[in-house]
Amino acid sequence: MSVNKAAARSIPSRAGTAPEGAAAAGRETTGAGRAAAADRPAAERLEASRTGGSRAAATAEKAAAAVGASRPAAARRSAAWTIGKAAAKALRGSAAIAALALVWETAPRLGLVDATFLPPLSEVLRAWGELAVSGSLLENFQASIVRSVSGLLLAVAIAIPLGLAIGYSRTAALLLGPVLELFRNTAALALLPVFILILGIGETSKISIVLFACTWPILLNTVSGVRGVDPLLVKSARSLGLPPFQLFWKVILPASLPSVFTGIRLAGASSILVLIAAEMVGAKAGLGYLINYTQYNFQIPEMYAGILTISALGLLINHGLVLLERRFSGWKANAER
């Protein structure tokens, strides 16, 4: 009887220790796994790390290749967009010229104007080609462009320093202002007989009359540009301790350049107009002489060919001045953006 009681008391203790035994067994199994992993050779772990690194490198290479492949396509799309935009802009800019050419061609053929005095554009272009092949057009074009550019460059060399001095110095403005105002209000063509009488009918008189006509737009715009510099810029530069020469060179001159180039472009147009008038009066070569000569000989298509060449010369000079302005006043375009 005592033996059975002892056995009964021993049964719950064994049942209570069973979960503890299972947990212990699990800990023993985990520890064994860790021990097995720890006992794995180092070479296998190194090989696994290398395999993972090579896969990452392969993935990075594939991504870089995809990016590199997409870059040329993006560059091509950007280039196509730029070319298309430039073509559309050129088309819009030339639409008015194309319309004028169409009217010029059709109006004489339809009898809207007398074809004797205004021949169709095709006949004018044919006459222009004949003059170009014969060499007459090139000879007269060279004579005109040399006179025009020479007078314009001399005007730039004289008028810009004079305008800077007048705009910067009150003393120079008081001394030179009245004389300059007197000559500024005198038409250049009104002085043409004076230039011919004093300098003759050679190249000197033609270049001098162009110089006189081009001086005033450059001079007045230079003076206006110097006087129109923002006073805050000048005060800021003076507060930084800039001496007068550096103040003028680094602040006033760059700020006045847009106005100076405006005057130069106006002078470029004046150089063509005055030169053609001067060549019509007394010259043996030049586009003005060509127009006058063909008019007297009733060669109307050739006359219009000379007029078209004058227009091309004006566009050429203006385009060159625009490129020069962008070169020296690039900061202005960046500031406006």
Side-chain angles (χ1 to χ4, degrees):
M1 185 68 179
S2 60
V3 173
N4 293 332
K5 291 181 180 180
R9 285 196 298 266
S10 65
I11 290 174
S13 63
R14 290 175 183 174
T17 57
E20 295 179 358
R27 285 195 298 269
E28 290 178 359
T29 303
T30 304
R34 290 179 180 175
D39 293 338
R40 191 168 53 180
E44 293 181 2
R45 294 197 300 269
L46 180 60
E47 183 65 24
S49 64
R50 288 179 178 177
T51 304
S54 62
R55 290 177 180 176
T59 303
E61 289 179 358
K62 290 180 180 179
V67 172
S70 64
R71 284 179 180 175
R76 288 193 297 268
R77 288 195 297 269
S78 178
W81 169 259
T82 303
I83 294 174
K85 187 176 180 180
K89 184 178 180 180
L91 184 62
R92 289 194 302 268
S94 59
I97 298 178
L100 178 62
L102 181 62
V103 171
W104 189 351
E105 178 67 26
T106 57
R109 298 188 181 278
L110 295 176
L112 300 178
V113 294
D114 193 349
T116 304
F117 302 105
L118 183 63
L121 180 60
S122 57
E123 295 185 11
V124 174
L125 294 178
R126 180 183 54 79
W128 189 91
E130 292 176 356
L131 289 174
V133 170
S134 65
S136 175
L137 185 65
L138 180 60
E139 179 183 357
N140 291 286
F141 180 81
Q142 288 178 345
S144 294
I145 196 170
V146 167
R147 294 164 183 167
S148 177
V149 173
S150 299
L152 180 61
L153 292 179
L154 289 175
V156 168
I158 295 173
I160 291 181
L162 190 59
L164 293 175
I166 294 174
Y168 189 68
S169 174
R170 293 184 178 180
T171 304
L174 291 174
L175 290 176
L176 301 176
V179 178
L180 296 178
E181 287 293 329
L182 175 64
F183 283 102
R184 182 177 72 89
N185 292 292
T186 304
L189 293 178
L191 296 177
L192 180 59
V194 178
F195 280 97
I196 292 177
L197 288 174
I198 297 176
L199 302 175
I201 61 172
E203 299 297 316
T204 306
S205 62
K206 309 295 184 303
I207 296 176
S208 299
I209 194 67
V210 173
L211 167 63
F212 182 84
C214 293
T215 298
W216 309 115
I218 301 174
L219 178 63
L220 296 176
N221 280 274
T222 303
V223 173
S224 176
V226 173
R227 293 178 179 175
V229 176
D230 190 355
L232 293 177
L233 293 177
V234 179
K235 290 180 181 179
S236 300
R238 286 176 178 171
S239 65
L240 293 175
L242 287 180
F245 177 75
Q246 291 187 359
L247 173 65
F248 177 80
W249 183 255
K250 293 184 178 181
V251 177
I252 296 178
L253 183 59
S256 61
L257 277 180
S259 180
V260 172
F261 275 103
T262 300
I264 295 175
R265 292 176 63 182
L266 292 174
S270 299
S271 67
I272 300 296
L273 298 176
V274 174
L275 176 63
I276 297 304
E279 289 176 345
M280 287 182 176
V281 173
K284 295 182 179 180
L287 294 176
Y289 166 78
L290 175 65
I291 294 172
N292 204 29
Y293 176 81
T294 52
Q295 179 192 6
Y296 284 149
N297 289 276
F298 211 73
Q299 299 175 351
I300 304 301
E302 287 78 6
M303 181 189 73
Y304 283 105
I307 294 173
L308 290 179
T309 307
I310 292 173
S311 301
L313 177 59
L315 290 175
L316 179 64
I317 293 177
N318 183 71
H319 184 66
L321 293 176
V322 168
L323 295 179
L324 192 64
E325 181 180 3
R326 291 177 181 174
R327 171 65 178 81
F328 287 98
S329 301
W331 59 268
K332 180 174 179 288
N334 294 330
E336 291 177 351
R337 291 176 186 174

